[in-house]
Each structure stands twice: as structure tokens, then as C-alpha cells.
Amino acid sequence: DIQMTQSPSSLSASVGDRVTVTCRASQGVNYFLAWYQQKPGKVPKLLIYAASTLESGVPSRFSGSGSGTDFTLTINTLQPEDVATYYCQKYNSAPFTFGGGTKVEIK
Amino acid sequence: QVQLQESGPGLVKPSGTVSLTCAVSGDSISSSNWWTWVRQPPGKGLEWIGEISHSGITNYNPSLKSRVNISVDKSKNQFSLKLSSVTAADTAVYYCARRPGYGLSPIEDWGQGTLVTVSS
């Protein structure tokens, strides 16, 4: 089965910073990669699908890139409301494995 | 907008079975969706458990496959999860979710989640 590895596992950045989270698949998943945001105590929310397509209503400071095995989630101009754990998930075929998550905090 | 609501016992004894139901509103359980279960142990990450299609096709996480069964009840517009032979490691918030069935799609809708604790 394909494993999904995220890095870093946590990061602390200042408001206004640009933040980058990476997700690596152990085998190619084409562009079938989604990013979810889970705020503390809340339900996960779909941010990005097809590696780079923003879900409706998601602020444009979020962006995604990559294909195959290497993917990136970027938050331009980090805001206080972006404090959350971010997960990648492959959905090219079952099992639809999640990455281990990246916790983003404000410095 | 599809709404999903999990229900079931919050406490299960070791070696017992977690039995959860997800009530679907705003869509028919027979529509072209994949009805999914995901869990999250306290303080840990998300784990995909499995899914079932409107036609009854199932996909399971290989690490749980021998203990998991997901089924659909069309008469009640709901789907269910059974996880057997549980241990403390199965303590988690269990989410039901919907993944659209057109092409390959990610999870779009989630229930609020229900905490299941495995303890004697």
C-alpha cells in the first residue's frame, strides 16, 4: 500500500509569514491528492483537491502544487485563523491513506 | 448540502464490537456516493477505515479489514460500521463521511464525529 509522509509534523510561524507543508507518497498518485484543514476540536474540512484546485469558499492565500509523489500546501500570509492541523490524503485508489498531519501554530 | 450524523454506544468493552450508524439527510443513500468511515484516536491523526458504494461495493483499510464490516440500510437512509475484537487502541472519534461517486473524488462532507472509548 502507498504510504503518505508529511513534513514537518509541526511548525510555528508569525502572522503574515509564508508557510509550506509537504506531502510525499511512496508511489505515484498522479494528481489525486487532497488537503484537509482540521481546527482544534473541529471536523476536518476539504481545502484543496486534485493537488491544486481550491475548494469553493477557501481563501486564496491557500494553494497546492505537485503531482506524482511530491506535493506542497502553501499558506501565503499566515492568519491567526489558520491555526490548525493539515492533512494530505491520496484518493487515486483504495486504501485512501492520510498523511500524519502537520500542526501549524502562531509564533 | 448533505448532512451526516453518527450514533452509537460511547463505551465498548475490550473484545467487544463497535457498532455505529450514520444517518444521511439531504441526499439518498442510493445516490452515486461512497459512504465512508474515518477515525481519529485522541490527540492523533486521521485513519481511513473504509467505504461502501450505493451498490454495496466495499473498500477497507487492509490493517482493519479482518475486523471491519460496513453496510447500507436503504430503508432507513443510513449506513453502518461494525468493528470487532476491539482493544484500547480502537478508542477514537469515529467520523462518517461522503465521497462523491463521480470519477475519483475526495471526501467532501463529514459528520460531527462520535467518541468511542474501549474500556472495561
Side-chain angles (χ1 to χ4, degrees):
Chain A
D1 295 331
I2 298 174
Q3 305 303 312
M4 307 300 293
T5 304
Q6 284 184 237
S7 61
S9 56
S10 66
L11 66 89
S12 182
S14 300
V15 171
D17 282 354
R18 182 180 185 185
V19 167
T20 299
V21 178
T22 64
C23 176
R24 175 164 288 175
S26 59
Q27 299 176 44
V29 300
N30 203 328
Y31 57 87
F32 297 108
L33 190 284
W35 290 97
Y36 299 87
Q37 175 193 61
Q38 186 178 33
K39 295 185 177 181
K42 301 297 186 182
V43 176
K45 170 190 169 184
L46 178 64
L47 284 182
I48 290 169
Y49 61 95
S52 61
T53 303
L54 230 57
E55 176 73 340
S56 176
V58 173
S60 58
R61 63 180 179 274
F62 290 92
S63 63
S65 64
S67 68
T69 60
D70 294 304
F71 302 88
T72 299
L73 169 70
T74 300
I75 309 173
N76 282 301
T77 318
L78 184 70
Q79 298 299 303
E81 59 265 33
D82 300 334
V83 168
T85 301
Y86 295 84
Y87 295 93
C88 62
Q89 184 196 29
K90 63 174 261 322
Y91 59 93
N92 62 313
S93 63
F96 300 113
T97 309
F98 289 93
T102 297
K103 187 175 184 179
V104 174
E105 298 176 317
I106 300 292
K107 195 180 293 183
Chain B
Q1 181 77 8
V2 176
Q3 295 193 341
L4 305 158
Q5 181 64 58
E6 307 87 350
S7 62
L11 181 64
V12 177
K13 287 183 166 49
S15 78
T17 296
V18 169
S19 295
L20 298 174
T21 295
C22 181
V24 179
S25 57
D27 198 359
S28 169
I29 198 77
S30 299
S31 60
S32 296
N33 291 299
W34 288 89
W35 305 103
T36 301
W37 290 97
V38 174
R39 71 179 182 178
Q40 184 171 37
K44 296 189 178 180
L46 301 170
E47 180 178 29
W48 182 81
I49 298 172
E51 62 180 10
I52 187 167
S53 74
H54 65 285
S55 59
I57 298 170
T58 54
N59 292 310
Y60 295 133
N61 187 325
S63 69
L64 300 170
K65 188 174 184 177
S66 63
R67 301 193 289 131
V68 171
N69 182 265
I70 297 175
S71 60
V72 164
D73 186 337
K74 294 182 180 181
S75 67
K76 296 182 179 179
N77 214 48
Q78 63 187 30
F79 63 106
S80 299
L81 168 71
K82 290 189 185 298
L83 178 67
S84 62
S85 304
V86 297
T87 68
D90 295 306
T91 293
V93 173
Y94 286 76
Y95 295 100
C96 62
R98 180 190 74 93
R99 188 171 75 82
Y102 49 84
L104 292 171
S105 303
I107 293 172
E108 291 191 359
D109 298 295
W110 299 72
Q112 287 303 303
T114 187
L115 175 63
V116 177
T117 301
V118 178
S119 175
S120 55

